Every structure is written in C-alpha cells, then in structure tokens.
C-alpha cells in the first residue's frame, strides 16, 4: 500500500517522475564531489511507498534541495517527510536571507561572510520577496569610508595587485571549467584570505576600500560558482553579502554587476517580475557609468523580460545592450567585463528567445528560428577557446531550440558538439540541461537521430 506523503504531491507539482528526482539528486551529488554516493534510479520509489526518507540526512537534504530549485521556493526536509522533524541529524538548512535583513554593522557582515566562506554550509533558496527585502536593506546601508586599521601587518598597494590578478585568473578558470567543487574551494580560500586582511591587517582608507571591493568581487564569483553548481540558495546569500560589501566600498560598478547577476538567477528560478525589478535597479546604478556596464545591465534586463514573456520589453533591452556595446568605450571598463562581446550577448539573446517562444505560441516558429541563429555561433566555438562552459551551456539550449522546432537531426548534431566539451567542464547547470535532453530524445527513440543522441548522452552522463 502506498503511503500518502507530501513528497508525492511535490513531485507532481514539479512535473517529475521518481526516476527524474533521482537523476536530479545524482547531479547535485556529482556537483558536490560525491559522485560515488549516487543513488539507484529506483530509490525514490521506496521513499514514496514507505513514507520514509533516505537514512542518510545529507541525502534527504539534497532531495529537498532539488525540489527547492525546481519549484523556485524553499522546500525543507520536514515539508517532504513531516515525520522527520524529530529525527536525529535531520538538520534544516537556513534560508539564504537568514540574518541579512535590517541594518547590519560592518563587522556583522564580515562575520556572516567569514562563516559562509569557511563552513561550506548550504542555504535554502529564499523567496523573491525576501531577496528583494534583503537587497533593499543592503542598499540602504550607509556608505561610510572604510575603517582605517592601524593594528597588524601593513597591506601595501603591491599586495592589491597580486589579489586582483588572482581574481582575474579565477574568473577565467570559471569561464573555462565552470563552478566545480575544487575551483569553488579555491575561491572560498581566496575570499577567506582577503577577509583576514580586512579584519586583522593595517591599511590606509584607500587600500581598505579596495580590499572591500576585492572581497565583494570574490563574493560574486563564489556566488556564480554556487549557482552553476546547482546551489541556488547559497548563491543568493553570497550575492546579498557581496552587495553590502560593494555598498560599503562605494563601488558602483561591482554593485550594479551583482544586482544584474542576482536578477539573472531570479529569472532562472521563475520569478520574472522580481527579476525585472532587480535588473532595472542595476540599470539605474549603471546609467552614469561606462558603456560596457550599461550594456551588461541592459542584457540582464532583456533576460528578465524574456522570463516574463514580454517580447516588446525584451526587444528594447536587447537592442540597448548591443547599442551600448557597439559604442566607443566611455569611462573605465570594469575588469570583470572582459568577457562581454557581441557573441556572448547573441548567445544570451538566443537563450532568452527560446524562453519567449515557449511563452508566446502565436510567434513560436519565428522566435525559435531567431533563437537558433543567435545560439549557433558560440555553440560552435573551438575547443581551444576560453569560454567552454558558456559554449556547452548555450549548445544545450541550441539543441533544445532545434527539438522545439522539430528538427531532430540538427538537435542531435548540436548535442554531439556540446558533449565534446563535457569532459573539461564541471557545471551542474549544464548537466541538468543534458539530463533534460536525454529525456527529450528518449521520448523520440523511434527516430534514429534521437536514438543515437540518447545513447551518447547515456554514455557521457554515466562517466560524469
């Protein structure tokens, strides 16, 4: 007899079978460096029939986290299996906004950030209202000059040159290989080192501001890696803390970029209205900055409008992004925008157009054709180029666009090209897209192109 547990209703809401749930949990395990702990595809059937969670608390937490990401709202373990509330070791993760509302002193922010960088704790996805409240409170924090520390070893400008060089190299590592466990561990270590200087070294006010900016950039990079690794809640927390650091350092460029990235994540989790608000605020901050930053924030706004199904809003923001990129550089171009190019914006536009096609059936065919033309160039990038994670990600979207256009042969070719990049890329986002493609091709197994693609995906994913 089947036991009536909330997990069954949650799976139905997510549109997942128990096997799909198992696949998502396994993707999280791989992204966390625990591939050897992957579960059998039939395990969730036992959880549903018995009404009991997995014996290992970390597996129960990952099962709830997978549902949180899919449903774009916090799903706690005790919401999936109510009888586990009193189970020893069933520790509930904190929400991403926990302790980040209201006015926080500088030391409180640094302590929260040190805990995030040091412990490796995971945080539950926060709802969009809570995220906006935390952003609002962070932006209201006073922009006082950084404290001038006079106790401890002195931080001199050459040390800042080394730190900024490390950050630049770590960004390029992320571009090439994605948010893998080892890369993220190194970024967290770098963040702890900078925080140690902020808290325990001595420096001038100018150096202090640059140290806070460096810590904010590392927050942004770690947050993006957590997002790429499938940990949306912890990514949210990193961005929210980074926003407070950038505000304290009066670094408008970093602040606008982080708000734009948080808008992208919010759009990804399915809350377009709040994503638009965040992206608009990023654009307001960038309005008096350089043309590259204005291009970047306009691109984020285009993604948010696409998530809302707003073709007109998307067109205006996308055209603005390309127009700003095409202008002669004004102001100082932020170092973190080195990657922004016409090809990257086109690929992002292709992803947005694919979403718009889903939400606008009357113009679906035209939007899909446009998406394919935008996605193709970056998806075909040489394997020696630096942006392999982006090429793999957008190659998956290209395959989805071809499938949506009922061109299975082209979808198979796009998938094969994308799979060539997988051995060198560690990205749970990409793995999740490949799992989706595997399911889509399996439904079309009567077609030889679909059958071959499904078999190749099986082989590639089993080796991850």
């Amino acid at each position: 007899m089947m036991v009536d547990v909330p997990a069954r209703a949650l799976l139905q809401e997510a549109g997942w079978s128990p096997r799909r749930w198992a696949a998502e949990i396994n993707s999280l395990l791989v992204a966390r460096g625990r591939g050897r702990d992957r579960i059998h595809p039939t395990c969730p059937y036992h959880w549903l029939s018995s009404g009991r969670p997995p014996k290992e608390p970390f597996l129960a937490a990952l099962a709830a986290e997978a549902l949180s990401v899919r449903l774009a709202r916090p799903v706690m373990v005790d919401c999936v299996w109510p009888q586990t509330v009193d189970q020893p070791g069933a520790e509930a993760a904190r929400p991403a906004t926990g302790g980040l509302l209201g006015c926080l002193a500088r030391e409180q922010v640094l302590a929260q950030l040190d805990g995030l960088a040091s412990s490796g704790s995971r945080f539950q996805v926060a709802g969009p209202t809570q995220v906006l409240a935390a952003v609002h409170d962070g932006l209201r924090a006073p922009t006082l000059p950084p404290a001038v520390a006079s106790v401890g070893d002195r931080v001199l400008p050459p040390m800042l040159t080394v730190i900024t060089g490390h950050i630049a190299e770590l960004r390029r590592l992320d571009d090439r290989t994605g948010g893998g466990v080892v890369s993220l561990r190194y970024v967290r270590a770098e963040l702890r080192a900078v925080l140690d200087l902020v808290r325990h070294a001595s420096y001038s006010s100018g150096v202090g501001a640059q140290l806070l900016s460096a810590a904010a950039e590392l927050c942004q990079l770690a947050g993006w890696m957590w997002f790429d690794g499938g940990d949306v809640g912890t990514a949210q927390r990193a961005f929210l803390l980074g926003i407070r650091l950038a505000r304290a350092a009066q670094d408008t460029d970093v602040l606008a970029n982080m708000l734009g990235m948080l808008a992208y994540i919010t759009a990804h989790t399915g809350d377009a209205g709040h994503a638009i608000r965040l992206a608009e605020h990023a654009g307001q901050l960038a309005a008096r900055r350089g043309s590259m930053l204005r291009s970047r924030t306009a691109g984020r706004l285009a993604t948010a409008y696409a998530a809302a199904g707003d073709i007109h809003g998307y067109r205006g923001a996308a055209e603005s992004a390309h127009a700003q990129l095409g202008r002669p550089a004004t102001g100082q171009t932020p170092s973190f925008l080195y990657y922004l190019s016409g090809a990257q914006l086109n690929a992002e536009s292709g992803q947005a157009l694919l979403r718009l096609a889903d939400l606008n059936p009357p113009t679906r065919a035209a939007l899909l054709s446009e998406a394919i033309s935008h996605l193709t160039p970056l998806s075909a990038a040489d394997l020696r180029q630096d942006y392999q994670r982006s090429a793999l990600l957008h190659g998956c979207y290209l395959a989805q666009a071809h499938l949506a256009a009922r061109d299975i042969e082209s979808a198979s070719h796009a998938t094969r090209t994308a799979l060539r990049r997988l051995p060198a890329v560690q990205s749970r986002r990409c793995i999740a897209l490949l799992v989706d493609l595997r399911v889509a091709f399996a439904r079309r197994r009567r077609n030889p192109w679909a059958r071959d693609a499904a078999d190749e995906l099986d082989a590639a994913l089993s080796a991850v």
Side-chain angles (χ1 to χ4, degrees):
M1 178 179 177
M2 303 288 276
V3 179
D4 186 18
V5 291
R8 197 181 310 283
L10 289 166
L11 280 184
Q12 185 174 5
E13 183 182 354
W16 284 354
S17 67
R19 285 178 176 269
R20 174 63 185 275
W21 193 16
E24 293 294 326
I25 294 167
N26 284 336
S27 294
L28 283 173
L29 286 167
V30 170
R32 304 283 163 77
R34 303 188 66 160
R36 294 182 179 180
D37 295 323
R38 283 180 291 189
I39 62 174
H40 192 273
T42 60
C43 282
Y45 288 100
H46 173 70
W47 303 341
L48 294 172
S49 62
S50 67
R52 304 296 298 172
K55 294 180 181 179
E56 302 84 352
F58 79 91
L59 270 181
L62 282 183
E65 182 179 336
L67 289 167
S68 295
V69 174
R70 176 66 173 179
L71 300 175
R73 69 172 188 270
V75 177
M76 310 298 283
V77 172
D78 57 292
C79 294
V80 185
W81 295 283
Q83 63 268 46
T84 65
V85 173
D86 300 322
Q87 271 195 359
E91 181 181 354
R94 293 174 61 196
T97 53
L100 298 186
L101 298 175
C103 183
L104 300 180
R106 177 174 175 271
E107 274 304 317
Q108 289 177 297
V109 175
L110 293 175
Q112 293 272 21
L113 188 51
D114 189 57
L116 178 68
S118 301
S119 69
S121 298
R122 297 293 183 262
F123 291 82
Q124 284 282 358
V125 178
T129 302
Q130 288 77 21
V131 170
L132 276 181
V135 168
H136 179 261
D137 290 347
L139 293 175
R140 291 172 59 207
T143 56
L144 300 174
V148 180
S150 57
V151 178
D153 294 330
R154 191 78 170 168
V155 179
L156 298 175
M159 175 62 75
L160 288 169
T161 302
V162 172
I163 292 171
T164 55
H166 283 178
I167 294 172
E169 289 302 316
L170 289 170
R171 286 188 184 280
R172 285 172 170 78
L173 176 66
D174 175 58
D175 285 333
R176 189 160 190 89
T177 64
V181 175
V182 175
S183 297
L184 178 56
R185 187 183 305 151
Y186 197 93
V187 170
R188 286 170 49 207
E190 189 82 9
L191 177 56
R192 290 196 300 270
V194 173
L195 290 173
D196 183 67
L197 293 177
V198 172
R199 302 179 80 178
H200 304 298
S202 66
Y203 40 79
S204 66
S205 61
V207 169
Q210 291 179 71
L211 283 173
L212 287 179
S213 289
E217 287 201 50
L218 286 165
C219 270
Q220 177 267 300
L221 180 55
W224 194 251
M225 286 181 160
W226 267 309
F227 170 62
D228 195 49
D231 191 347
V232 176
T234 310
Q236 288 176 325
R237 189 169 185 83
F239 279 108
L240 292 172
L241 284 165
I243 284 169
R244 287 186 179 260
L245 285 183
R247 171 74 173 171
Q250 302 184 48
D251 194 330
T252 303
D253 288 351
V254 172
L255 185 55
N257 187 49
M258 235 176 313
L259 278 173
M261 285 186 152
L262 193 55
Y264 181 94
I265 291 175
T266 304
H268 174 82
T269 58
D271 198 283
H274 289 83
I276 291 171
R277 290 178 63 183
L278 288 167
E280 286 177 339
H281 202 128
Q284 290 166 8
L285 288 172
R288 297 185 180 180
R289 310 300 295 174
S291 55
M292 286 288 284
L293 186 64
R294 294 198 299 273
S295 174
R296 178 64 287 174
T297 56
R300 299 302 187 199
L301 182 58
T303 296
Y305 275 126
D310 185 341
I311 296 177
H312 178 73
Y314 159 78
R315 294 287 185 202
E319 288 171 7
S320 175
H322 282 281
Q324 292 291 346
L325 188 64
R327 290 180 180 175
T330 59
Q332 184 175 359
T333 299
S335 60
F336 51 76
L337 291 182
Y338 63 91
Y339 70 93
L340 191 60
S341 65
Q344 177 64 29
L345 279 181
N346 277 332
E348 292 176 13
S349 293
Q351 180 184 347
L353 287 160
L354 179 59
R355 181 63 177 149
L356 283 168
D358 287 339
L359 298 174
N360 293 274
T363 55
R364 177 182 173 85
L367 290 169
L368 285 174
S369 176
E370 192 177 353
I372 289 168
S373 68
H374 278 76
L375 287 164
T376 298
L378 185 58
S379 301
D382 191 279
L383 287 173
R384 293 171 294 179
Q385 293 188 2
D386 289 336
Y387 307 107
Q388 291 303 310
R389 192 259 314 277
S390 184
L392 172 55
L393 180 76
H394 292 100
C396 292
Y397 285 121
L398 176 60
Q400 286 187 356
H402 281 305
L403 280 174
R406 300 183 179 181
D407 185 350
I408 298 177
E409 180 179 353
S410 294
S412 176
H413 287 310
T415 300
R416 186 173 293 111
T417 300
L419 283 176
R420 291 168 56 203
R421 309 181 196 282
L422 184 59
V425 176
Q426 298 171 322
S427 168
R428 196 258 169 181
R429 268 196 304 165
C430 293
I431 291 173
L433 288 171
L434 290 170
V435 169
D436 286 342
L437 286 170
R438 166 65 182 82
V439 173
F441 281 120
R443 290 172 181 164
R444 300 166 171 83
R445 286 195 73 92
R446 291 185 179 180
N447 182 291
W449 291 105
R451 186 165 55 252
D452 289 347
D455 290 343
E456 289 185 38
L457 282 162
D458 276 340
L461 291 171
S462 66
V464 171

